[in-house]
Amino acid sequence: MATVDITECRAALALIRCTIEENCPPGVLPSEEMVNGLYGPELIHEAEALATAIVATVDKLTLRCPTAPPG
């Protein structure tokens, strides 16, 4: 089984964070410092915060786009 370098993981999470901060609604992603306090200091905690922000964004976009009535 191949392992992934922790530096590569940090870089990938940083790219995801940057993308969320640039494209998602304000406030869906806490700062890195807040993530440490709310979730914890591990990489998995940053990943959890990023996933939560993505879900929150989808929820907000879904509420803004009403579905068309059937038929």
Side-chain angles (χ1 to χ4, degrees):
M1 174 187 269
T3 59
V4 179
D5 181 56
I6 193 165
T7 305
E8 292 176 4
C9 289
R10 284 191 196 287
L13 291 175
L15 287 172
I16 296 167
R17 172 175 277 283
C18 183
T19 301
I20 290 171
E21 290 173 343
E22 289 178 5
N23 296 291
C24 294
V28 296
L29 180 60
S31 69
E32 292 180 58
E33 294 80 20
M34 287 185 66
V35 168
N36 288 338
L38 294 169
Y39 295 91
E42 303 292 325
L43 290 179
I44 191 69
H45 300 123
E46 174 71 1
E48 184 179 357
L50 296 172
T52 300
I54 292 168
V55 170
T57 299
V58 170
D59 287 346
K60 287 184 178 200
L61 293 174
T62 302
L63 292 174
R64 277 195 238 156
C65 301
T67 56

